[in-house]
Amino acid sequence: SMLSQIKDIVESIHGNFQIDAQYYNKDTSIGAPIVPQKVLSNGFGNINYIRGNFSAGLRYESYNPVMQGFDPRYQVSGIPERYARYKTSKIDITAGNFYDQFGSGMILRVYEERGLLYDNTIDGFRAIYNPYKGITVKGLIGHQRTFFSLSPGVVRAGDVDVSINELFDSLLTQMKTKITIGGSFVSKYQASQSPTLNEPENVGCGGGRVTVTRGGFYAYGEYAY
């Protein structure tokens, strides 16, 4: 039985990489900047390891230097992101880098757009808990990425999402109308750098949302303050 349990554990290693490079010629007719290196490149590689409920991974990025048209602060090579994660049907815990979004993203949207070299991943801790069917609770804390360093501001956030039909499934399972409600709160602490201005160091934002679906009809509303 022990051997069968070991065989049932899913284990895999996967990843991807990409290199974009351009060769530059002198072109004074359009006022193009002269590139003494001739060739500039943006490159990255991801590797992820999964074993059962556990996963871990890292990203390597290299700019030699960064191609024209991108922010010149991308000028180094290294491992700016790494994570370890443990996930079950009830709990999901991540230490390191992660992406997330609350509702439509009005008060929290952590994402990357690789083609634009935009990446505001959070480096810290996140916990997701499903105490009952239809309820998801999230909590996170960390610093957002800024190029190859971290923002000085500490982001702290929580989110609750409730599927009314799943929560009261004995009463509402047969209902054609599906209702989901949610609420979020995000705050950021950043020490004031001004000796003269009274800058707020803790800034918070809260929001609520509701989704209603029925057949082909879908309505969504969100309010943030």
Side-chain angles (χ1 to χ4, degrees), residues 20-198:
D20 298 322
Q22 289 183 341
Y23 182 87
Y24 297 87
N25 287 313
K26 184 177 179 180
D27 190 343
T28 57
S29 63
I30 62 171
I34 296 174
V35 180
Q37 298 96 333
K38 296 296 185 183
V39 177
L40 306 180
S41 66
N42 304 344
F44 73 92
N46 296 305
I47 185 166
N48 299 282
Y49 171 78
I50 301 173
R51 180 177 174 82
N53 295 328
F54 175 80
S55 61
L58 57 83
R59 169 181 290 167
Y60 175 81
E61 295 181 13
S62 183
Y63 307 95
N64 296 296
V66 71
M67 294 193 302
Q68 289 287 305
F70 294 95
D71 197 300
R73 283 175 284 186
Y74 283 112
Q75 293 290 356
V76 295
S77 300
I79 301 175
E81 300 179 25
R82 68 280 178 274
Y83 75 93
R85 184 177 187 181
Y86 182 78
K87 181 179 181 181
T88 68
S89 60
K90 285 283 188 182
I91 195 164
D92 181 348
I93 299 174
T94 302
N97 293 93
F98 56 86
Y99 300 94
D100 211 323
Q101 178 172 311
F102 292 172
S104 64
M106 289 176 67
I107 63 174
L108 182 77
R109 187 182 183 211
V110 187
Y111 73 107
E112 73 161 335
E113 183 58 61
R114 181 55 31 192
L116 300 177
L117 291 188
Y118 180 81
D119 190 339
N120 69 339
T121 179
I122 290 180
D123 188 355
F125 292 92
R126 180 187 62 182
I128 304 173
Y129 182 44
N130 301 104
Y132 304 103
K133 185 179 179 182
I135 299 179
T136 302
V137 181
K138 293 181 183 180
L140 60 89
I141 186 169
H143 296 262
Q144 288 189 288
R145 177 182 174 182
T146 305
F147 304 101
F148 268 78
S149 61
L150 296 175
S151 165
V154 182
V155 178
R156 304 158 296 190
D159 181 78
V160 179
D161 200 68
V162 180
S163 171
I164 303 298
N165 300 73
E166 289 185 53
L167 187 62
F168 301 102
D169 91 327
S170 59
L171 297 174
L172 303 177
T173 276
Q174 304 305 318
M175 281 185 59
K176 293 182 179 180
T177 302
K178 308 297 182 184
I179 302 172
T180 302
I181 60 175
S184 309
F185 184 78
V186 180
S187 75
K188 187 185 79 169
Y189 169 80
Q190 185 166 331
S192 173
Q193 300 296 313
S194 174
T196 57
L197 298 178
N198 182 22

